[in-house]
Amino acid sequence: MTDRPGPDCERADEALAAIDRGDVVAEPEIAAAARHLDGCARCSGRDDRSTRAILEALAQPPPEELRADDALFASSRERVMAAIADERVSGDGRRRLESRPATLPPGARADRGGRGSSSTSPAADRRDRDRRSGASGARSAAAAALGFAAGVALAAVVMTGVLRERVRGEPEADRIASSAERSREPADRLAERRARGRATAGVGMAAAVADDDAWLVAGGDVATALRAPSLRDLSAEELDELDRELGLDPGRG
Amino acid sequence: MERRAPRDAADDRELVARVAGGERAAFGALVERHQRMVFALAVRMTGSRDEALDVMQTTFLNAFRRIGEFRGDASFKTWLYGIALNECRMHHRRAQRTVALDAVAEPVAAVAAGDEIDRAALARLVARLPEKQRAALVLRVTEDLSFREIGAAIGSSEAAAKVNYFHAVRKLRAWVAAGGAPAAAPRSDRGES
């Protein structure tokens, strides 16, 4: 502390003062200050008796009232282990999602609640009719666009769910339960949520892309979600709903 | 001061892999291995044994939930420190919400008598430091972490970790020389690089 401050000392002092004022200090200035503080005996205070006394005092164990004994650590450990007994590891969720097939085997269909999955259903008849006549026209094109949007929305919901679980640690079971609850919600709320889903799809995608790991986690679901909304896979009810959304007559072949 | 050998770090990774594989008992081994270290950090950050115990427990709970996020870029210990520091911050914010708005931090006085430093008063001064400065100081002095490790734990560059540490030391030195800290504004996130 006997040396006179040099220009680098003053520059470092300035950087520290700026930090105290809450100013933004550029990284090169931070790097320069770090280099100087590390090397300068005056600024680091390494030869200063007061600094040494402070650092020695800080290195001492905390006072008795701030210590914990073995019994306290053991009981804390037990509480932690009891708390995690019902928890899922995020790694588990990741593997579960990743182990889902990105594409289903040929001939297999995604189970979307069992609606319209029978080959004898009116929807199947209509699909056959569509296939035979190739009469998809404007509805098919719009359906593809809407289907893609719905797929993206679904993917976003899946991805934001995964992200939410990772950020908040929300248990997987809660997410599944809330999905089940949503499947029973009234039509108006469903429509509102779909609209919200479409609106936030871009945000969800951006968030997922920003977090490449989440993108990988959700990869299988994205593939499934994007593949599902093909016109051929839609049930009669879904086709009718699509018709209504497009302003067409429901049930039109 | 705990110095951990590379073998311990390798063991940590193995335990983490087992936990991620569904072996919960392996997490118990991680807790047992690191709980004293997390508590020591938390007690110096919060200045309270009860708060430190809370922080320690929530740190491990969150570590378990997020174990799949541990990639091994840093050591498990450094990763855990990062979670613990975040828990300290959350704890502090929750505590702040319960404090009356007109509550003002009292000045801290008489920290030194001759060459003797009053450790309890010094701990109160440390509590006045901005969060990252305090964390950098505690991790450096009591846990002997490198500045690179400190940077990883506090979410800063190595250079910023170094600046935070020296900034903290200089502030404490000035406060001790002045006989205490002023009745400054409450702790805030200002004053950190």
Side-chain angles (χ1 to χ4, degrees), chain A residues 5-170:
Chain A
D8 286 343
C9 299
E10 286 168 5
R11 192 176 163 195
D13 288 348
E14 220 165 82
L16 296 186
I19 290 166
D20 278 341
R21 288 193 302 271
D23 296 348
V24 175
V25 181
E27 189 61 31
E29 280 298 304
I30 294 286
R35 273 195 305 275
H36 178 73
L37 288 166
D38 212 11
C40 175
R42 171 194 170 271
C43 292
S44 68
R46 74 169 70 94
D47 297 334
D48 176 51
R49 200 171 62 177
S50 168
T51 303
R52 283 203 305 271
I54 289 168
L55 294 179
E56 279 166 18
L58 285 173
Q60 298 295 315
E64 188 63 39
E65 66 270 17
L66 291 181
R67 294 183 204 169
D69 58 17
D70 288 346
L72 205 51
F73 281 122
S75 67
S76 280
R77 197 161 57 242
E78 278 171 22
R79 275 197 290 276
V80 169
M81 295 310 286
I84 67 168
D86 297 324
E87 291 278 344
R88 278 179 186 274
V89 187
S90 65
D92 280 348
R94 175 170 313 188
R95 277 194 311 283
R96 187 168 49 255
L97 287 166
E98 283 175 345
S99 66
R100 285 182 189 170
T103 54
L104 293 173
R109 285 171 45 81
D111 179 7
R112 292 177 289 109
R115 291 182 303 164
S117 58
S118 163
S119 62
T120 59
S121 67
D125 292 339
R126 188 188 329 216
R127 282 197 298 273
D128 286 341
R129 209 163 53 239
D130 279 345
R131 272 197 294 273
R132 278 196 304 274
S133 66
S136 46
R139 191 177 66 183
S140 288
L146 273 176
F148 182 80
V152 170
L154 177 57
V157 167
V158 170
M159 286 184 288
T160 48
V162 170
L163 288 170
R164 186 183 59 201
E165 183 184 353
R166 293 182 61 209
V167 172
R168 293 188 195 161
E170 181 183 355

Side-chain angles (χ1 to χ4, degrees), chain B residues 5-164:
Chain B
R7 175 70 198 150
D8 289 338
D11 288 348
D12 281 349
R13 285 167 207 266
E14 188 188 321
L15 287 168
V16 167
R18 283 163 56 190
V19 175
E23 195 183 326
R24 282 162 201 265
F27 192 72
L30 282 171
V31 175
E32 186 162 16
R33 177 177 285 187
H34 294 288
Q35 65 180 164
R36 282 170 175 76
M37 168 199 95
V38 171
F39 175 79
L41 171 67
V43 88
R44 288 182 188 276
M45 290 296 289
T46 63
S48 153
R49 189 177 72 161
D50 290 344
E51 283 184 40
L53 285 169
D54 283 349
V55 164
M56 182 179 76
Q57 287 173 185
T58 51
T59 294
F60 282 109
L61 193 56
N62 280 327
F64 179 80
R65 287 171 173 165
R66 296 165 51 186
I67 202 90
E69 296 172 35
F70 176 69
R71 300 180 204 287
D73 299 336
S75 69
F76 179 74
K77 180 181 73 169
T78 305
W79 184 73
L80 203 56
Y81 275 138
I83 296 175
L85 288 172
N86 197 45
E87 286 303 318
C88 288
R89 186 181 309 129
M90 293 296 115
H91 209 88
H92 175 63
R93 284 185 188 165
R94 279 194 292 271
Q96 269 190 330
R97 281 201 286 270
T98 64
V99 173
L101 289 174
D102 57 353
V104 175
E106 294 294 320
V108 177
V111 293
D115 284 346
E116 279 295 306
I117 300 279
D118 179 340
R119 280 165 49 205
L122 186 61
R124 289 196 294 276
L125 287 181
V126 170
R128 288 285 179 87
L129 292 168
E131 198 171 281
K132 284 192 176 178
Q133 290 178 24
R134 189 161 22 113
L137 181 75
V138 169
L139 291 173
R140 182 70 177 172
V141 175
T142 69
E143 304 301 323
D144 201 22
L145 258 59
S146 70
F147 286 117
R148 181 184 292 270
E149 289 173 310
I150 294 169
I154 65 177
S156 300
S157 65
E158 184 178 351
K162 202 176 277 187
V163 168
N164 274 311

